[in-house]
Amino acid sequence: MRSKLFVPGVRPELFAKALASEADGLSLDLEDSVPEEAKFRARENVAAFLGSAELRDSQKCVVVRVNPLHSPHFLQDIARLVCRGVHWINLPKAESADDVLLAVASLESAEATNGVEAPIRLLVNIETPKGLRMAAPIAAAHPRVVGLQLGLADLFAPFGIDRADPRNVHAAMHAMRMAAGEAGVLAFDAAFTDVQDHAGFISEARMARGLGYVGKSCVHPSQISLANEVFSPTLDEVDEARRMVQAADLAASRGHGAFVVDGRMVDLPLLDRARAVVAQAEEETARSGR
């Protein structure tokens, strides 16, 4: 999922526009973008949208960001919005493996009650110092965890950490990426709130891609095309990956485990990456209908 567009649950007039966008996924938000007095209304708005024919026919990944585990809204969010059509629940401000296990227990209970047969996955936000320190056990806490998502605003702002300094951003990105890698789950980049600073968005996205992140959150439709471009493999990357995969087949027929492509030795880690690039390119081609 190269791009995931945040849509405030309190703004139902935006739902159809978001669904028609080029974003790979939608994140229907009940947390930060919804004021306290509007939590119930936002929940009902999202519930109605999840039951709509338009959403059922969509190919987008549908994510619901619920309120934090220990908030008074979490259980109501889960009970109301764990339903068919939701692919992932986005859990904010997790700080331990126990937080994940508690969320999974609530998720399983709601699935049983609501007749949801396909297990819903968890995308877990890392947005506090403790959460970053515990990111590896959080990522490995349960098979339902599909990935970690970085939250730089919450991680940096309370402590006066300058997000404009790329060294600070890289340090946090690298730490979370290593935790996701240890657990074998996906890593998603943070939202970039200055919607007019496209250069800043692209710079941060490129840094994330260079660290193996698969996509970035978008808070405005104008950011979607930027994320899609940064996190899509280039034609040269796809061509190189296909040559590696083809060479691997030939090497395997000869009983060789390592081989050379374009003067570069290729072994299993590089081959796995090449296969992932080819798979992503084929998925994007299928999505675009080309």
Side-chain angles (χ1 to χ4, degrees):
M1 187 164 56
R2 302 163 300 172
S3 55
K4 177 167 58 64
L5 180 62
F6 274 111
V7 189
V10 77
R11 297 286 305 279
E13 72 276 11
L14 300 179
F15 292 172
K17 294 178 182 178
L19 194 61
S21 76
E22 294 299 315
D24 292 343
L26 300 183
S27 183
L28 303 166
D29 186 35
L30 301 178
E31 194 211 9
D32 285 345
S33 66
V34 179
E36 187 68 22
E37 65 274 11
K39 295 291 187 183
F40 174 82
R41 177 159 50 92
R43 189 184 302 123
E44 293 305 305
N45 290 342
V46 172
F49 184 55
L50 292 174
S52 67
E54 294 83 359
L55 192 68
R56 284 197 302 272
D57 294 337
S58 172
Q59 300 301 310
K60 293 189 188 300
C61 181
V62 178
V63 185
V64 175
R65 182 167 74 167
V66 296
N67 286 285
L69 181 68
H70 301 295
S71 75
H73 308 289
F74 173 79
L75 290 178
Q76 297 173 69
D77 292 344
I78 292 293
R80 186 74 175 95
L81 300 176
V82 168
C83 59
R84 293 183 180 89
V86 176
H87 299 105
W88 300 351
I89 290 292
N90 183 199
L91 180 68
K93 298 179 175 62
E95 294 192 318
S96 68
D98 285 344
D99 283 351
V100 174
L101 295 178
L102 285 172
V104 168
S106 299
L107 189 54
E108 290 174 340
S109 176
E111 286 173 344
T113 300
N114 297 344
V116 177
E117 297 176 357
I120 295 173
R121 309 293 295 277
L122 277 177
L123 175 63
V124 183
N125 285 7
I126 301 299
E127 48 193 335
T128 68
K130 183 178 179 181
L132 186 60
R133 177 169 58 86
M134 299 296 293
I138 286 171
H142 195 276
R144 287 203 189 225
V145 177
V146 68
L148 301 179
Q149 179 170 273
L150 190 60
L152 288 177
D154 287 283
L155 185 62
F156 282 2
F159 309 101
I161 300 172
D162 183 7
R163 185 169 176 174
D165 187 334
R167 295 169 299 180
N168 296 338
V169 176
H170 188 277
M173 281 186 182
H174 185 272
M176 198 197 84
R177 179 66 183 95
M178 290 297 98
E182 180 180 345
V185 303
L186 302 173
F188 291 89
D189 193 17
F192 191 85
T193 56
D194 188 344
V195 299
Q196 296 183 331
D197 184 5
H198 287 182
F201 181 96
I202 291 170
S203 177
E204 207 170 82
R206 285 176 175 166
M207 185 187 298
R209 186 179 185 236
L211 287 168
Y213 282 65
V214 298
K216 188 170 180 66
S217 297
C218 303
V219 296
H220 190 272
S222 66
Q223 297 175 333
I224 295 170
S225 62
L226 307 179
N228 286 348
E229 181 176 358
V230 170
F231 289 99
S232 293
T234 66
L235 291 177
D236 287 344
E237 288 170 337
V238 175
D239 288 344
E240 181 185 46
R242 286 184 171 139
R243 290 197 301 274
M244 287 185 183
V245 172
Q246 292 168 358
D249 294 338
L250 179 60
S253 70
R254 297 173 176 175
H256 299 163
F259 50 93
V260 175
V261 175
D262 300 334
R264 180 185 186 188
M265 192 191 81
V266 179
D267 55 9
L268 186 58
L270 283 176
L271 179 58
D272 286 344
R273 177 58 189 159
R275 286 172 172 155
V277 168
V278 171
Q280 181 183 355
E282 291 175 349
E283 179 183 343
E284 290 176 10
T285 299
R287 185 189 297 118
S288 65
R290 295 193 299 268

